[in-house]
Amino acid sequence: MNETSPVGRAPAVVVFDVNETLSDLTPLRASFESVGLAAESVEPWFAGLLRDGFALTCVGVNPAFADLARESLRIRLLGSGVTPEPGSENADDAVERVMSGFTSLPVHPDVVEGVRALQSAGIRLVTLTNGSTSVAEGLLERAGLADAFERLMSVESAGAWKPHPSSYAYALGECGVSAGEAILVAVHPWDIDGAARAGLRTGWLNRSGGSYPSYFRRPELEVGSLVELAHAWEG
Amino acid sequence: MNETSPVGRAPAVVVFDVNETLSDLTPLRASFESVGLAAESVEPWFAGLLRDGFALTCVGVNPAFADLARESLRIRLLGSGVTPEPGSENADDAVERVMSGFTSLPVHPDVVEGVRALQSAGIRLVTLTNGSTSVAEGLLERAGLADAFERLMSVESAGAWKPHPSSYAYALGECGVSAGEAILVAVHPWDIDGAARAGLRTGWLNRSGGSYPSYFRRPELEVGSLVELAHAWEG
């Protein structure tokens, strides 16, 4: 590794976001369709669940991600005009079917190679999710990557969802590193912004070639895949 | 008015949310289509813009609603695969076309009758928006309702977006009333929740017959229209 590289020295710890950053939500589209919801409604459902979680974070509440996911899905089902036929599953069964899809998502194709390359470079790897630790654990176990991660963390123990500063401070404390020794890697600009304001280094994982919102603090690094991230600090 | 009504006595002040509560976003669907975006993407755009605004509120930033609206729309246009033909408008022109649609929305059909009935009952009427005061002003002028409102307020002057407690406290201070003398009326459950936590009375305007999320504090009142609200405190 080259300490004089324009992207800076390698971090001591990479703090990965989990949902959408490591996990691929694409199969949820089929899960939605299987219960009569439009595949396109995955996006507003997920955005609305984060909106409501952040609203509660603004007023000092630290809700369980899964509770918001289930309830917002149930409300969407009830409002969609999808009426379960007599004898078929009811809305609660449909919600559980989609949630079961959510807890069995795969990782993105670049994750295994990227994570192994970062591990080989001697960088400590951890996760910090607004969801539950068990979802991250299952995801990484299915991908055969559980051994590569030193610690899986959830904001459930931090007292506040990301992007509240307490969430990042909690992760740094658990890892025993200063903010400048850690880099937060995420697909979500709001997570990059929050981590940057908390003093962490930041890497925006932009798999889709999207644009970064000008109203958020810019990331230190932008990469198209975790493989690219793993090579960012090479000479 | 009947002070012993089960819904309680009439409030001194009704604090109305503006976007979607008074304004009808339906015409935005056509605005989106006119620039090549799917009509269905109004919902994720609006949810994503609130998500990002709340994320910034969580970290102590008070952004301009219009900046987030424009920029998130620009990014959606750039990512949509809609390529302006040579000689036709570019993404910035398309953004301004949609934003112009946003600032010329109509009020919902129940608003004029409901507001006039509340006014006749001697209740003070104000607005508190996460957007700009000028958008609320234009909306109410087009509806011929400008004279019915004592004061139009924006979180731009409050230091924080709703549902942060400072936003409601600011509105109460401007109106010179205690929290218990005011009722926040909104279509958005996150606004009801924030107002309830700030001590205000709350009225959920549920025009679409939707379900209220169990993870938010429940409203004191639920009505299907502003006309119904105006009659809520009658004997």
Short mmCIF file of all heavy atoms in Angstrom, two decimals, chain B residues 17-82:
data_model
loop_
_atom_site.label_atom_id
_atom_site.label_comp_id
_atom_site.label_asym_id
_atom_site.label_seq_id
_atom_site.Cartn_x
_atom_site.Cartn_y
_atom_site.Cartn_z
N ASP B 17 -50.41 21.48 8.15
CA ASP B 17 -49.34 21.15 7.22
C ASP B 17 -49.81 21.60 5.83
O ASP B 17 -51.01 21.79 5.59
CB ASP B 17 -49.10 19.64 7.25
CG ASP B 17 -48.14 19.21 6.17
OD1 ASP B 17 -47.06 19.82 6.05
OD2 ASP B 17 -48.48 18.26 5.42
N VAL B 18 -48.88 21.75 4.88
CA VAL B 18 -49.24 22.28 3.56
C VAL B 18 -49.15 21.22 2.45
O VAL B 18 -50.17 20.86 1.84
CB VAL B 18 -48.39 23.52 3.21
CG1 VAL B 18 -48.69 24.01 1.79
CG2 VAL B 18 -48.62 24.63 4.23
N ASN B 19 -47.94 20.71 2.19
CA ASN B 19 -47.75 19.76 1.08
C ASN B 19 -48.55 18.48 1.31
O ASN B 19 -48.37 17.81 2.32
CB ASN B 19 -46.27 19.38 0.91
CG ASN B 19 -45.42 20.55 0.44
OD1 ASN B 19 -45.87 21.38 -0.34
ND2 ASN B 19 -44.18 20.61 0.91
N GLU B 20 -49.42 18.15 0.42
CA GLU B 20 -50.29 16.97 0.44
C GLU B 20 -51.48 17.14 1.39
O GLU B 20 -52.50 16.51 1.19
CB GLU B 20 -49.55 15.67 0.77
CG GLU B 20 -48.64 15.21 -0.36
CD GLU B 20 -48.21 13.75 -0.23
OE1 GLU B 20 -47.54 13.42 0.76
OE2 GLU B 20 -48.55 12.95 -1.12
N THR B 21 -51.32 17.96 2.44
CA THR B 21 -52.43 18.16 3.38
C THR B 21 -53.40 19.18 2.77
O THR B 21 -54.60 18.92 2.68
CB THR B 21 -51.90 18.64 4.74
OG1 THR B 21 -51.11 17.59 5.30
CG2 THR B 21 -53.03 19.01 5.69
N LEU B 22 -52.88 20.32 2.33
CA LEU B 22 -53.72 21.30 1.63
C LEU B 22 -53.58 21.13 0.12
O LEU B 22 -54.56 21.15 -0.61
CB LEU B 22 -53.35 22.72 2.05
CG LEU B 22 -53.56 23.05 3.55
CD1 LEU B 22 -53.14 24.49 3.85
CD2 LEU B 22 -55.02 22.83 3.96
N SER B 23 -52.35 20.94 -0.36
CA SER B 23 -52.14 20.84 -1.81
C SER B 23 -52.36 19.41 -2.29
O SER B 23 -52.09 18.45 -1.57
CB SER B 23 -50.73 21.30 -2.18
OG SER B 23 -49.75 20.44 -1.63
N ASP B 24 -52.84 19.31 -3.50
CA ASP B 24 -53.09 18.02 -4.13
C ASP B 24 -51.94 17.75 -5.11
O ASP B 24 -51.79 18.45 -6.11
CB ASP B 24 -54.43 18.08 -4.87
CG ASP B 24 -54.81 16.76 -5.51
OD1 ASP B 24 -53.98 15.82 -5.49
OD2 ASP B 24 -55.94 16.67 -6.03
N LEU B 25 -51.13 16.73 -4.82
CA LEU B 25 -49.95 16.45 -5.66
C LEU B 25 -50.29 15.70 -6.95
O LEU B 25 -49.40 15.49 -7.78
CB LEU B 25 -48.90 15.63 -4.88
CG LEU B 25 -48.28 16.23 -3.60
CD1 LEU B 25 -47.05 15.42 -3.20
CD2 LEU B 25 -47.88 17.68 -3.80
N THR B 26 -51.56 15.32 -7.12
CA THR B 26 -51.92 14.51 -8.29
C THR B 26 -51.41 15.07 -9.62
O THR B 26 -50.87 14.32 -10.44
CB THR B 26 -53.45 14.28 -8.35
OG1 THR B 26 -53.89 13.82 -7.08
CG2 THR B 26 -53.81 13.28 -9.42
N PRO B 27 -51.54 16.40 -9.86
CA PRO B 27 -51.06 16.92 -11.15
C PRO B 27 -49.56 16.73 -11.39
O PRO B 27 -49.10 16.82 -12.53
CB PRO B 27 -51.41 18.41 -11.08
CG PRO B 27 -52.51 18.51 -10.08
CD PRO B 27 -52.22 17.44 -9.07
N LEU B 28 -48.80 16.47 -10.31
CA LEU B 28 -47.38 16.23 -10.50
C LEU B 28 -47.12 14.97 -11.33
O LEU B 28 -46.07 14.85 -11.97
CB LEU B 28 -46.67 16.06 -9.15
CG LEU B 28 -46.11 17.30 -8.49
CD1 LEU B 28 -45.30 16.91 -7.26
CD2 LEU B 28 -45.24 18.10 -9.46
N ARG B 29 -48.07 14.05 -11.30
CA ARG B 29 -47.90 12.83 -12.09
C ARG B 29 -47.78 13.18 -13.57
O ARG B 29 -46.92 12.64 -14.29
CB ARG B 29 -49.07 11.88 -11.85
CG ARG B 29 -49.16 11.39 -10.40
CD ARG B 29 -50.44 10.61 -10.13
NE ARG B 29 -50.57 9.41 -10.92
CZ ARG B 29 -50.10 8.21 -10.56
NH1 ARG B 29 -49.47 8.06 -9.41
NH2 ARG B 29 -50.26 7.16 -11.35
N ALA B 30 -48.61 14.10 -14.03
CA ALA B 30 -48.53 14.53 -15.42
C ALA B 30 -47.26 15.32 -15.68
O ALA B 30 -46.64 15.21 -16.74
CB ALA B 30 -49.77 15.36 -15.79
N SER B 31 -46.83 16.13 -14.69
CA SER B 31 -45.57 16.88 -14.83
C SER B 31 -44.40 15.90 -14.99
O SER B 31 -43.51 16.12 -15.81
CB SER B 31 -45.31 17.75 -13.60
OG SER B 31 -46.36 18.64 -13.38
N PHE B 32 -44.41 14.84 -14.19
CA PHE B 32 -43.35 13.84 -14.29
C PHE B 32 -43.36 13.21 -15.69
O PHE B 32 -42.33 13.07 -16.33
CB PHE B 32 -43.52 12.76 -13.22
CG PHE B 32 -42.77 13.04 -11.94
CD1 PHE B 32 -42.88 14.26 -11.29
CD2 PHE B 32 -41.92 12.08 -11.39
CE1 PHE B 32 -42.17 14.52 -10.11
CE2 PHE B 32 -41.21 12.33 -10.22
CZ PHE B 32 -41.34 13.55 -9.57
N GLU B 33 -44.56 12.84 -16.14
CA GLU B 33 -44.66 12.20 -17.46
C GLU B 33 -44.20 13.14 -18.57
O GLU B 33 -43.61 12.70 -19.55
CB GLU B 33 -46.10 11.73 -17.71
CG GLU B 33 -46.42 10.46 -16.92
CD GLU B 33 -47.83 9.93 -17.18
OE1 GLU B 33 -48.73 10.76 -17.44
OE2 GLU B 33 -48.01 8.70 -17.10
N SER B 34 -44.44 14.43 -18.38
CA SER B 34 -44.08 15.39 -19.44
C SER B 34 -42.57 15.50 -19.63
O SER B 34 -42.10 15.97 -20.66
CB SER B 34 -44.67 16.77 -19.12
OG SER B 34 -43.90 17.42 -18.12
N VAL B 35 -41.80 15.07 -18.62
CA VAL B 35 -40.34 15.10 -18.78
C VAL B 35 -39.76 13.68 -18.91
O VAL B 35 -38.56 13.48 -18.82
CB VAL B 35 -39.65 15.85 -17.61
CG1 VAL B 35 -40.08 17.31 -17.59
CG2 VAL B 35 -39.94 15.18 -16.26
N GLY B 36 -40.65 12.70 -19.11
CA GLY B 36 -40.18 11.34 -19.39
C GLY B 36 -40.05 10.44 -18.17
O GLY B 36 -39.54 9.32 -18.27
N LEU B 37 -40.50 10.93 -17.01
CA LEU B 37 -40.47 10.09 -15.82
C LEU B 37 -41.81 9.37 -15.65
O LEU B 37 -42.84 9.89 -16.07
CB LEU B 37 -40.20 10.93 -14.56
CG LEU B 37 -38.80 11.55 -14.45
CD1 LEU B 37 -38.75 12.52 -13.27
CD2 LEU B 37 -37.74 10.44 -14.28
N ALA B 38 -41.79 8.21 -15.00
CA ALA B 38 -43.03 7.48 -14.75
C ALA B 38 -43.89 8.24 -13.74
O ALA B 38 -43.36 8.79 -12.77
CB ALA B 38 -42.73 6.09 -14.21
N ALA B 39 -45.17 8.26 -13.96
CA ALA B 39 -46.10 8.90 -13.02
C ALA B 39 -45.94 8.29 -11.63
O ALA B 39 -46.04 8.99 -10.61
CB ALA B 39 -47.54 8.73 -13.52
N GLU B 40 -45.66 7.00 -11.59
CA GLU B 40 -45.54 6.29 -10.31
C GLU B 40 -44.31 6.71 -9.52
O GLU B 40 -44.15 6.36 -8.35
CB GLU B 40 -45.46 4.77 -10.52
CG GLU B 40 -46.74 4.15 -11.04
CD GLU B 40 -47.03 4.53 -12.49
OE1 GLU B 40 -46.07 4.77 -13.26
OE2 GLU B 40 -48.22 4.63 -12.84
N SER B 41 -43.39 7.44 -10.18
CA SER B 41 -42.17 7.80 -9.45
C SER B 41 -42.34 9.08 -8.63
O SER B 41 -41.42 9.50 -7.93
CB SER B 41 -40.96 7.88 -10.39
OG SER B 41 -41.16 8.84 -11.39
N VAL B 42 -43.53 9.69 -8.67
CA VAL B 42 -43.78 10.83 -7.76
C VAL B 42 -43.66 10.35 -6.31
O VAL B 42 -43.03 11.02 -5.48
CB VAL B 42 -45.18 11.45 -8.00
CG1 VAL B 42 -45.50 12.47 -6.91
CG2 VAL B 42 -45.25 12.12 -9.37
N GLU B 43 -44.21 9.18 -6.01
CA GLU B 43 -44.21 8.70 -4.62
C GLU B 43 -42.79 8.47 -4.09
O GLU B 43 -42.44 9.00 -3.03
CB GLU B 43 -45.06 7.44 -4.47
CG GLU B 43 -45.22 7.06 -2.99
CD GLU B 43 -45.60 5.60 -2.74
OE1 GLU B 43 -45.87 4.86 -3.69
OE2 GLU B 43 -45.60 5.21 -1.56
N PRO B 44 -41.94 7.69 -4.78
CA PRO B 44 -40.58 7.51 -4.25
C PRO B 44 -39.76 8.80 -4.25
O PRO B 44 -38.92 9.00 -3.38
CB PRO B 44 -39.96 6.45 -5.17
CG PRO B 44 -40.83 6.40 -6.37
CD PRO B 44 -42.19 6.81 -5.94
N TRP B 45 -40.03 9.69 -5.19
CA TRP B 45 -39.31 10.97 -5.20
C TRP B 45 -39.65 11.76 -3.93
O TRP B 45 -38.75 12.24 -3.23
CB TRP B 45 -39.68 11.79 -6.44
CG TRP B 45 -39.24 13.22 -6.37
CD1 TRP B 45 -37.96 13.70 -6.45
CD2 TRP B 45 -40.10 14.37 -6.17
NE1 TRP B 45 -37.97 15.07 -6.31
CE2 TRP B 45 -39.26 15.51 -6.14
CE3 TRP B 45 -41.47 14.53 -6.03
CZ2 TRP B 45 -39.77 16.80 -5.97
CZ3 TRP B 45 -41.98 15.82 -5.86
CH2 TRP B 45 -41.12 16.93 -5.85
N PHE B 46 -40.93 11.84 -3.62
CA PHE B 46 -41.35 12.64 -2.47
C PHE B 46 -40.90 11.97 -1.16
O PHE B 46 -40.42 12.65 -0.24
CB PHE B 46 -42.87 12.85 -2.49
CG PHE B 46 -43.33 13.99 -1.63
CD1 PHE B 46 -43.04 15.30 -1.99
CD2 PHE B 46 -44.01 13.78 -0.45
CE1 PHE B 46 -43.44 16.37 -1.18
CE2 PHE B 46 -44.42 14.84 0.36
CZ PHE B 46 -44.13 16.14 -0.01
N ALA B 47 -41.01 10.65 -1.09
CA ALA B 47 -40.57 9.93 0.12
C ALA B 47 -39.06 10.08 0.29
O ALA B 47 -38.56 10.26 1.41
CB ALA B 47 -40.96 8.45 0.04
N GLY B 48 -38.32 10.02 -0.82
CA GLY B 48 -36.86 10.13 -0.75
C GLY B 48 -36.41 11.52 -0.36
O GLY B 48 -35.41 11.69 0.35
N LEU B 49 -37.17 12.51 -0.80
CA LEU B 49 -36.81 13.90 -0.45
C LEU B 49 -37.07 14.16 1.03
O LEU B 49 -36.26 14.80 1.71
CB LEU B 49 -37.53 14.84 -1.41
CG LEU B 49 -38.46 15.97 -1.06
CD1 LEU B 49 -37.73 17.10 -0.36
CD2 LEU B 49 -39.07 16.52 -2.34
N LEU B 50 -38.15 13.60 1.56
CA LEU B 50 -38.40 13.72 3.00
C LEU B 50 -37.35 12.91 3.78
O LEU B 50 -36.82 13.38 4.79
CB LEU B 50 -39.81 13.25 3.35
CG LEU B 50 -40.94 14.16 2.85
CD1 LEU B 50 -42.30 13.52 3.13
CD2 LEU B 50 -40.87 15.54 3.50
N ARG B 51 -37.05 11.71 3.30
CA ARG B 51 -36.00 10.88 3.94
C ARG B 51 -34.70 11.67 4.07
O ARG B 51 -34.10 11.73 5.13
CB ARG B 51 -35.76 9.61 3.10
CG ARG B 51 -34.63 8.73 3.60
CD ARG B 51 -34.14 7.80 2.48
NE ARG B 51 -33.64 8.58 1.34
CZ ARG B 51 -33.65 8.19 0.07
NH1 ARG B 51 -34.11 7.00 -0.25
NH2 ARG B 51 -33.17 8.97 -0.88
N ASP B 52 -34.29 12.30 2.98
CA ASP B 52 -33.02 13.03 3.00
C ASP B 52 -33.11 14.30 3.86
O ASP B 52 -32.16 14.65 4.56
CB ASP B 52 -32.59 13.38 1.57
CG ASP B 52 -32.08 12.15 0.80
OD1 ASP B 52 -32.06 11.04 1.40
OD2 ASP B 52 -31.72 12.28 -0.37
N GLY B 53 -34.25 14.95 3.83
CA GLY B 53 -34.44 16.12 4.69
C GLY B 53 -34.41 15.75 6.16
O GLY B 53 -33.82 16.46 6.99
N PHE B 54 -35.02 14.62 6.49
CA PHE B 54 -35.02 14.16 7.89
C PHE B 54 -33.62 13.72 8.30
O PHE B 54 -33.21 13.90 9.45
CB PHE B 54 -36.01 13.01 8.09
CG PHE B 54 -37.46 13.38 7.89
CD1 PHE B 54 -38.44 12.40 7.93
CD2 PHE B 54 -37.86 14.69 7.67
CE1 PHE B 54 -39.79 12.71 7.75
CE2 PHE B 54 -39.20 15.02 7.49
CZ PHE B 54 -40.16 14.02 7.53
N ALA B 55 -32.88 13.10 7.36
CA ALA B 55 -31.50 12.70 7.67
C ALA B 55 -30.68 13.93 8.05
O ALA B 55 -29.94 13.92 9.03
CB ALA B 55 -30.88 11.98 6.47
N LEU B 56 -30.85 15.00 7.29
CA LEU B 56 -30.12 16.24 7.60
C LEU B 56 -30.60 16.85 8.91
O LEU B 56 -29.81 17.39 9.68
CB LEU B 56 -30.24 17.23 6.43
CG LEU B 56 -29.43 16.83 5.19
CD1 LEU B 56 -29.83 17.65 3.97
CD2 LEU B 56 -27.92 16.98 5.45
N THR B 57 -31.90 16.74 9.17
CA THR B 57 -32.44 17.24 10.44
C THR B 57 -31.82 16.47 11.62
O THR B 57 -31.51 17.06 12.65
CB THR B 57 -33.98 17.10 10.44
OG1 THR B 57 -34.50 17.80 9.31
CG2 THR B 57 -34.60 17.67 11.72
N CYS B 58 -31.61 15.16 11.44
CA CYS B 58 -30.98 14.33 12.49
C CYS B 58 -29.57 14.79 12.83
O CYS B 58 -29.09 14.53 13.93
CB CYS B 58 -30.89 12.87 12.04
SG CYS B 58 -32.43 11.96 12.06
N VAL B 59 -28.89 15.42 11.86
CA VAL B 59 -27.51 15.85 12.11
C VAL B 59 -27.44 17.36 12.31
O VAL B 59 -26.34 17.95 12.24
CB VAL B 59 -26.55 15.38 10.98
CG1 VAL B 59 -26.51 13.86 10.93
CG2 VAL B 59 -26.93 15.96 9.63
N GLY B 60 -28.59 18.00 12.54
CA GLY B 60 -28.59 19.41 12.92
C GLY B 60 -28.56 20.40 11.77
O GLY B 60 -28.32 21.59 11.99
N VAL B 61 -28.83 19.92 10.55
CA VAL B 61 -28.83 20.80 9.39
C VAL B 61 -30.29 21.11 9.04
O VAL B 61 -31.17 20.27 9.22
CB VAL B 61 -28.13 20.12 8.19
CG1 VAL B 61 -28.15 21.02 6.96
CG2 VAL B 61 -26.70 19.75 8.56
N ASN B 62 -30.53 22.33 8.57
CA ASN B 62 -31.89 22.76 8.23
C ASN B 62 -31.93 23.18 6.75
O ASN B 62 -31.93 24.36 6.44
CB ASN B 62 -32.29 23.92 9.14
CG ASN B 62 -33.77 24.30 9.00
OD1 ASN B 62 -34.60 23.46 8.69
ND2 ASN B 62 -34.07 25.57 9.21
N PRO B 63 -31.99 22.21 5.85
CA PRO B 63 -31.85 22.55 4.42
C PRO B 63 -33.11 23.20 3.84
O PRO B 63 -34.18 23.12 4.45
CB PRO B 63 -31.63 21.18 3.78
CG PRO B 63 -32.38 20.23 4.65
CD PRO B 63 -32.24 20.77 6.06
N ALA B 64 -32.96 23.81 2.67
CA ALA B 64 -34.12 24.38 1.98
C ALA B 64 -34.83 23.26 1.23
O ALA B 64 -34.22 22.54 0.44
CB ALA B 64 -33.68 25.47 1.01
N PHE B 65 -36.13 23.14 1.48
CA PHE B 65 -36.94 22.09 0.85
C PHE B 65 -36.78 22.11 -0.67
O PHE B 65 -36.60 21.06 -1.30
CB PHE B 65 -38.40 22.30 1.25
CG PHE B 65 -39.34 21.23 0.78
CD1 PHE B 65 -39.64 20.15 1.60
CD2 PHE B 65 -39.95 21.30 -0.47
CE1 PHE B 65 -40.52 19.16 1.18
CE2 PHE B 65 -40.82 20.31 -0.90
CZ PHE B 65 -41.11 19.25 -0.07
N ALA B 66 -36.83 23.29 -1.26
CA ALA B 66 -36.79 23.39 -2.72
C ALA B 66 -35.44 22.89 -3.27
O ALA B 66 -35.40 22.31 -4.35
CB ALA B 66 -37.03 24.83 -3.17
N ASP B 67 -34.38 23.10 -2.51
CA ASP B 67 -33.07 22.60 -2.96
C ASP B 67 -33.08 21.08 -3.03
O ASP B 67 -32.58 20.47 -3.98
CB ASP B 67 -31.95 23.04 -2.00
CG ASP B 67 -31.66 24.52 -2.10
OD1 ASP B 67 -32.14 25.18 -3.05
OD2 ASP B 67 -30.94 25.04 -1.22
N LEU B 68 -33.64 20.45 -2.00
CA LEU B 68 -33.70 18.98 -1.99
C LEU B 68 -34.64 18.47 -3.07
O LEU B 68 -34.36 17.47 -3.72
CB LEU B 68 -34.16 18.47 -0.61
CG LEU B 68 -33.04 18.17 0.39
CD1 LEU B 68 -32.25 19.42 0.74
CD2 LEU B 68 -33.57 17.49 1.64
N ALA B 69 -35.75 19.17 -3.26
CA ALA B 69 -36.73 18.76 -4.27
C ALA B 69 -36.09 18.79 -5.66
O ALA B 69 -36.18 17.83 -6.43
CB ALA B 69 -37.95 19.68 -4.22
N ARG B 70 -35.44 19.91 -5.98
CA ARG B 70 -34.80 20.07 -7.28
C ARG B 70 -33.69 19.05 -7.52
O ARG B 70 -33.63 18.41 -8.56
CB ARG B 70 -34.15 21.46 -7.39
CG ARG B 70 -35.05 22.55 -7.78
CD ARG B 70 -34.28 23.76 -8.32
NE ARG B 70 -35.27 24.73 -8.78
CZ ARG B 70 -35.96 25.52 -7.96
NH1 ARG B 70 -35.75 25.49 -6.66
NH2 ARG B 70 -36.87 26.34 -8.45
N GLU B 71 -32.80 18.95 -6.52
CA GLU B 71 -31.62 18.10 -6.71
C GLU B 71 -32.01 16.62 -6.79
O GLU B 71 -31.47 15.87 -7.60
CB GLU B 71 -30.63 18.35 -5.57
CG GLU B 71 -29.41 17.47 -5.55
CD GLU B 71 -28.40 17.76 -6.66
OE1 GLU B 71 -28.68 18.60 -7.55
OE2 GLU B 71 -27.32 17.13 -6.64
N SER B 72 -32.97 16.21 -5.98
CA SER B 72 -33.37 14.79 -6.01
C SER B 72 -34.12 14.47 -7.30
O SER B 72 -34.05 13.36 -7.82
CB SER B 72 -34.19 14.42 -4.78
OG SER B 72 -35.33 15.23 -4.66
N LEU B 73 -34.78 15.47 -7.83
CA LEU B 73 -35.46 15.30 -9.12
C LEU B 73 -34.43 15.22 -10.26
O LEU B 73 -34.54 14.37 -11.16
CB LEU B 73 -36.40 16.49 -9.33
CG LEU B 73 -37.33 16.48 -10.50
CD1 LEU B 73 -38.21 15.24 -10.51
CD2 LEU B 73 -38.22 17.73 -10.46
N ARG B 74 -33.42 16.08 -10.19
CA ARG B 74 -32.36 16.08 -11.21
C ARG B 74 -31.66 14.72 -11.24
O ARG B 74 -31.42 14.15 -12.30
CB ARG B 74 -31.35 17.19 -10.88
CG ARG B 74 -30.37 17.51 -11.99
CD ARG B 74 -29.38 18.60 -11.56
NE ARG B 74 -28.49 18.14 -10.51
CZ ARG B 74 -27.36 17.46 -10.72
NH1 ARG B 74 -26.96 17.19 -11.94
NH2 ARG B 74 -26.62 17.06 -9.70
N ILE B 75 -31.35 14.18 -10.05
CA ILE B 75 -30.66 12.90 -9.97
C ILE B 75 -31.55 11.78 -10.51
O ILE B 75 -31.09 10.88 -11.21
CB ILE B 75 -30.23 12.63 -8.51
CG1 ILE B 75 -29.09 13.59 -8.16
CG2 ILE B 75 -29.83 11.18 -8.31
CD1 ILE B 75 -28.66 13.55 -6.72
N ARG B 76 -32.85 11.87 -10.20
CA ARG B 76 -33.79 10.87 -10.72
C ARG B 76 -33.88 10.94 -12.23
O ARG B 76 -33.89 9.91 -12.91
CB ARG B 76 -35.16 11.08 -10.08
CG ARG B 76 -36.21 10.05 -10.44
CD ARG B 76 -37.46 10.20 -9.58
NE ARG B 76 -37.20 9.81 -8.22
CZ ARG B 76 -37.26 8.55 -7.76
NH1 ARG B 76 -37.61 7.56 -8.58
NH2 ARG B 76 -36.99 8.28 -6.50
N LEU B 77 -33.87 12.14 -12.77
CA LEU B 77 -33.91 12.30 -14.23
C LEU B 77 -32.64 11.73 -14.87
O LEU B 77 -32.70 10.99 -15.86
CB LEU B 77 -34.03 13.78 -14.60
CG LEU B 77 -35.45 14.32 -14.74
CD1 LEU B 77 -35.44 15.83 -14.70
CD2 LEU B 77 -36.09 13.82 -16.05
N LEU B 78 -31.49 12.07 -14.29
CA LEU B 78 -30.23 11.60 -14.85
C LEU B 78 -30.12 10.08 -14.78
O LEU B 78 -29.54 9.46 -15.65
CB LEU B 78 -29.04 12.24 -14.11
CG LEU B 78 -28.88 13.76 -14.29
CD1 LEU B 78 -27.79 14.30 -13.37
CD2 LEU B 78 -28.57 14.10 -15.75
N GLY B 79 -30.71 9.49 -13.74
CA GLY B 79 -30.61 8.05 -13.55
C GLY B 79 -31.71 7.26 -14.25
O GLY B 79 -31.70 6.03 -14.26
N SER B 80 -32.66 7.98 -14.84
CA SER B 80 -33.84 7.30 -15.39
C SER B 80 -33.60 6.76 -16.79
O SER B 80 -34.43 6.01 -17.31
CB SER B 80 -35.02 8.27 -15.44
OG SER B 80 -34.73 9.30 -16.39
N GLY B 81 -32.49 7.16 -17.39
CA GLY B 81 -32.27 6.75 -18.77
C GLY B 81 -33.01 7.64 -19.75
O GLY B 81 -32.94 7.42 -20.95
N VAL B 82 -33.72 8.65 -19.22
CA VAL B 82 -34.37 9.61 -20.11
C VAL B 82 -33.29 10.55 -20.64
O VAL B 82 -32.71 11.32 -19.88
CB VAL B 82 -35.44 10.45 -19.37
CG1 VAL B 82 -36.06 11.48 -20.29
CG2 VAL B 82 -36.49 9.55 -18.76
#
